[in-house]
Amino acid sequence: MPEMTMEELLNEEKRVSRGQVVNGVVVKIEADEIIIDVGYKTEGVIPKPEFLDISGELTVKVGDRVDVSVERMSDSNGRLQLSKRNVDKSRLWQTLEEAFGAGQFIKGRVTKKVNGGYRADIGGVEAFLPASQVSLQKTTDSDEYLDKIYQFKIIKIDRARSNVVISRRPVLELEKDATRQKRLAELNPGDILEGRVKSLVSYGAFIDLNGVDGLLHIADIDWGRVNKVEDYLKPDHPIKVMVLQVDREKGKISLGLKQMTVDPWVEADKRYREGLVLEVEVTHFADYGVFVKTPDHLEGFCHITEISWSKKLKKPSETFKIGDKRQAQIIDIDFEKRKINFSFKRMEKSPWDQVSQRYPIGATVTAKVTNVTDFGLFLEIEDGLEGLLHQSDISWDKRTKAPQKEYKIGQTLTVKMLAIDLEKKRISLGLKQVEGDPWDQIEEKYKTGQILTAKVSRLVEFGAFVELEKNVEGLIHKTEISNPPPKSLEEALKPGQEVTFKVIGVDSGKRRISLSLKALTSKGQESEQLDEEQIVHRKTSAFQKMLKKFMKTAKSADSEDDEDFE
């Protein structure tokens, strides 16, 4: 370079000043520095890293023109100290703000980990990348992102505070959507794909099909009933599925697993028939029965009434557990409706076999109360064999409204077989019949004209009932109490009162015994009321005469006239 005069040097120094932005030409690229000619008396120098991009690549070559700022007029070698970064930084903030406003993506390199996330170099400005914004899924390896270059979107910017927050998620979502749209365009119903179980839900599972997710509904996992998805699928496991339906507009894919195998109902009529016995597996419980599946995954059902002959069974889980395998018989099958019903109890001998021979009508049996109802009692004669003891067959006493309430479940009773209906599987039992009807011999035990003493059991509007023996009452009509009849029945007789009376009528057919107090008086005429001493004397005499009559009857079988008791 030719020597300059003092005037020229002074003029040259006025051409540049500290902080000034000038344009220069790259004249030399050295190991650590870039030499730039800005038209000054000496060349300028800039550290080479200022010309490296975020990937470490040099961004200039010899001959390129660049804008730089003057940092110092000369160094120890008399050269200008220049900076490209300071010029770029001012322009970069403007570029970043424009990108933020337009929602554009920018490039950046993750440089280090910090509390809550990462720091990233976005071309001369350091930005904060929150950990929640680095990926679409949670990651456990936090070092995997260091020193890597990604596309980002600015989600917050504040130039005054030099604060920039960036996110990688919008970029990933856009890429995912692009990949999804491409994959959707490629898929067709019937395609068989390799995938991976992404997540399980109550209604199925989401399958990752290499960039696009599809739903495998619980109904399409197996031909049989699927109660829990996790019994068939595990997260992150590989799986092969069939594409059932593709909705490109909504971006939905329906997948099937069971469709990879043959439908067990196809030609099922050639393999199954009513009466066939086979081994089935318990898959699911319901309050009213149990679901099972055949070896080829055909689903069937066994109603609770077909599980056991015993009616004590309340829940299927009392007999089975999930996964149990038992022999069962097909009792009904509908190929059109795809329904098949099984029976477990028919694999055992029915307690109804030869029941009439084992328990003939009229036989007395011991049975246990299993249920108390409004209309009677159910009794178990043997396991699986129950009979009904109707309330009308519990007691001969018709006054008791609900005699069954006097009995408890588990109580053992001796009853008589009254009727057996094999077609309807019903047995009628009787309790009162075991004791026998007391009215069958009532006319032999009670004769017209007979004088007896007993207690008043109850009062009714038309008279008083007297308990002659268990389940046998006689009636003293109010007109037979006295002559004239008492104005107040309650004043004449009281429940529990012991009275002496005459039998004036017996009708076993109508189950009636008529009694009279006034008939004890001579010819039925009204007499003065006997005092206590006379009543005692009369009872004693009556007893003696009855005893005398009994002795004579035993010897000669001659009957006494009714007048002997008066």
Side-chain angles (χ1 to χ4, degrees):
M1 178 179 283
E3 293 186 4
M4 300 179 67
T5 65
M6 180 62 68
E7 183 178 359
E8 289 175 332
L9 288 173
L10 292 174
N11 291 335
E12 187 69 19
E13 288 179 357
K14 292 179 182 178
R15 289 176 55 192
V16 294
S17 60
R18 187 175 181 179
Q20 183 179 353
V21 176
V22 295
N23 185 266
V25 179
V26 176
V27 295
K28 191 176 183 181
I29 299 176
E30 297 184 346
D32 299 321
E33 299 176 328
I34 303 293
I35 308 302
I36 297 177
D37 180 7
V38 293
Y40 189 51
K41 62 180 180 178
T42 60
E43 294 173 335
V45 61
I46 296 179
K48 190 175 182 179
E50 291 196 23
F51 285 95
L52 300 178
D53 60 18
I54 58 175
S55 60
E57 297 293 328
L58 190 64
T59 59
V60 294
K61 61 183 183 298
V62 175
D64 285 351
R65 299 194 70 87
V66 293
D67 288 333
V68 296
S69 65
V70 180
E71 298 298 306
R72 196 165 58 183
M73 296 303 295
S74 63
D75 59 9
S76 58
N77 296 320
R79 299 177 301 180
L80 287 174
Q81 289 296 309
L82 306 175
S83 173
K84 177 177 181 294
R85 181 171 295 169
N86 288 341
V87 176
D88 290 345
K89 192 171 184 180
S90 175
R91 294 175 179 175
L92 178 60
W93 276 104
Q94 183 177 353
T95 302
L96 293 177
E97 288 174 339
E98 291 175 354
F100 173 70
Q104 296 174 342
F105 296 152
I106 59 170
K107 254 185 188 180
R109 180 171 62 87
V110 180
T111 57
K112 60 182 177 180
K113 288 192 296 184
V114 294
N115 186 26
Y118 303 85
R119 288 290 179 186
D121 180 5
I122 54 175
V125 173
E126 192 175 61
F128 175 60
L129 172 62
S132 61
Q133 300 296 317
V134 72
S135 175
L136 294 177
Q137 293 87 27
K138 289 185 178 180
T139 177
T140 55
D141 185 6
S142 57
D143 291 335
E144 66 173 302
Y145 302 103
L146 294 178
D147 294 322
K148 292 182 180 178
I149 298 172
Y150 300 106
Q151 290 274 358
F152 298 102
K153 183 177 182 180
I154 301 172
I155 57 177
K156 183 179 179 182
I157 187 169
D158 187 340
R159 187 194 293 203
R161 296 184 179 183
S162 298
N163 182 25
V164 180
V165 181
I166 58 177
S167 173
R168 185 167 168 252
R169 288 178 64 91
V171 180
L172 295 175
E173 288 170 352
L174 189 63
E175 291 175 353
K176 181 180 178 181
D177 186 62
T179 303
R180 183 179 182 84
Q181 293 301 323
K182 181 181 177 182
R183 290 287 287 145
L184 283 171
E186 297 171 348
L187 298 179
N188 293 290
D191 289 349
I192 306 297
L193 304 175
E194 293 280 354
R196 187 169 293 275
V197 179
K198 186 174 183 180
S199 62
L200 304 181
V201 290
S202 61
Y203 51 88
F206 285 98
I207 311 299
D208 182 2
L209 302 173
N210 191 23
V212 62
D213 292 346
L215 174 62
L216 174 58
H217 195 273
I218 189 171
D220 292 309
I221 293 178
D222 191 81
W223 290 108
R225 179 180 294 270
V226 178
N227 300 312
K228 294 181 180 179
V229 179
E230 51 267 32
D231 291 341
Y232 292 80
L233 305 173
K234 302 297 179 185
D236 205 40
H237 278 206
I239 188 174
K240 183 178 288 187
V241 290
M242 177 184 288
V243 177
L244 302 181
Q245 187 176 1
V246 180
D247 189 333
R248 294 183 175 85
E249 184 178 343
K250 295 182 179 180
K252 293 182 179 181
I253 304 171
S254 297
L255 304 173
L257 181 61
K258 72 180 184 182
Q259 288 79 3
M260 302 286 292
T261 60
V262 178
D263 183 352
W265 281 99
V266 175
E267 296 186 344
D269 56 338
K270 296 180 180 179
R271 305 190 308 275
Y272 299 100
R273 67 182 186 280
E274 291 185 13
L276 180 67
V277 175
L278 67 158
E279 186 179 70
V280 295
E281 180 180 340
V282 175
T283 61
H284 178 62
F285 293 129
D287 292 338
Y288 50 91
V290 57
F291 288 92
V292 299
K293 67 177 179 180
T294 64
D296 60 357
H297 295 259
L298 187 149
E299 185 181 69
F301 181 72
C302 177
H303 195 271
I304 191 169
T305 58
E306 289 294 331
I307 292 178
S308 171
W309 291 106
S310 175
K311 294 185 178 180
K312 291 184 292 185
L313 179 66
K314 301 301 180 184
K315 295 181 179 179
S317 55
E318 296 175 2
T319 303
F320 301 103
K321 63 179 183 293
I322 302 299
D324 276 355
K325 293 183 178 181
R326 303 276 185 91
Q327 292 287 316
Q329 184 181 54
I330 298 176
I331 58 174
D332 179 58
I333 187 166
D334 189 325
F335 297 103
E336 185 177 343
K337 294 182 179 179
R338 296 188 167 215
K339 291 183 178 181
I340 181 170
N341 293 317
F342 288 91
S343 173
F344 287 105
K345 75 178 185 181
R346 300 191 192 190
M347 300 305 299
E348 303 171 357
K349 185 178 180 181
S350 171
W352 287 90
D353 290 348
Q354 298 181 336
V355 67
S356 298
Q357 288 75 19
R358 291 184 290 122
Y359 301 101
I361 302 301
T364 299
V365 297
T366 300
K368 185 179 293 184
V369 178
T370 58
N371 193 16
V372 179
T373 69
D374 293 337
F375 51 85
L377 305 170
F378 281 99
L379 286 82
E380 185 180 55
I381 303 170
E382 64 177 60
D383 191 22
L385 192 65
E386 276 190 345
L388 172 64
L389 174 57
H390 195 271
Q391 62 177 2
S392 61
D393 290 311
I394 294 177
S395 172
W396 293 105
D397 188 357
K398 295 183 178 180
R399 293 175 297 164
T400 306
K401 298 296 183 183
Q404 66 271 25
K405 293 184 178 180
E406 299 178 6
Y407 301 90
K408 296 181 180 180
I409 294 176
Q411 186 174 353
T412 300
L413 301 176
T414 299
V415 292
K416 182 170 287 189
M417 299 289 291
L418 301 182
I420 298 175
D421 189 332
L422 292 175
E423 184 178 349
K424 295 182 178 180
K425 298 290 189 294
R426 292 178 182 175
I427 295 176
S428 297
L429 304 173
L431 178 62
K432 69 181 184 181
Q433 289 82 355
V434 175
E435 300 175 351
D437 188 352
W439 286 89
D440 289 345
Q441 299 177 348
I442 209 70
E443 293 185 359
E444 297 178 8
K445 297 171 67 175
Y446 300 98
K447 305 290 186 178
T448 301
Q450 192 174 0
I451 295 176
L452 303 171
T453 300
K455 290 183 179 180
V456 175
S457 58
R458 56 196 174 99
L459 300 180
V460 293
E461 184 180 355
F462 48 85
F465 281 97
V466 176
E467 185 175 24
L468 301 177
E469 59 182 77
K470 184 180 178 181
N471 295 327
V472 177
E473 286 184 328
L475 173 64
I476 304 175
H477 196 273
K478 63 182 180 180
T479 58
E480 293 296 330
I481 294 176
S482 63
N483 192 11
K487 293 182 179 180
S488 173
L489 192 62
E490 288 76 8
E491 292 180 0
L493 297 171
K494 292 180 174 56
Q497 179 183 347
E498 193 173 74
V499 294
T500 301
F501 48 83
K502 178 182 282 190
V503 179
I504 60 174
V506 179
D507 189 335
S508 60
K510 295 182 179 180
R511 306 174 84 86
R512 291 179 184 176
I513 299 178
S514 299
L515 310 175
S516 177
L517 290 179
K518 75 176 185 179
L520 292 176
T521 60
S522 179
K523 297 180 181 180
Q525 295 179 352
E526 183 179 2
S527 63
E528 294 181 355
Q529 184 176 0
L530 299 175
D531 57 23
E532 185 176 349
E533 184 178 346
Q534 290 174 316
I535 293 174
V536 172
H537 175 72
R538 190 163 190 171
K539 286 183 178 179
T540 303
S541 299
F543 175 78
Q544 291 174 343
K545 289 181 179 181
M546 289 176 66
L547 181 61
K548 183 178 180 180
K549 179 181 177 182
F550 174 79
M551 296 298 292
K552 287 182 179 181
T553 302
K555 291 180 180 181
S556 61
D558 294 329
S559 61
E560 295 288 339
D561 192 355
D562 290 342
E563 293 180 357
D564 291 340
F565 289 93
E566 297 187 5

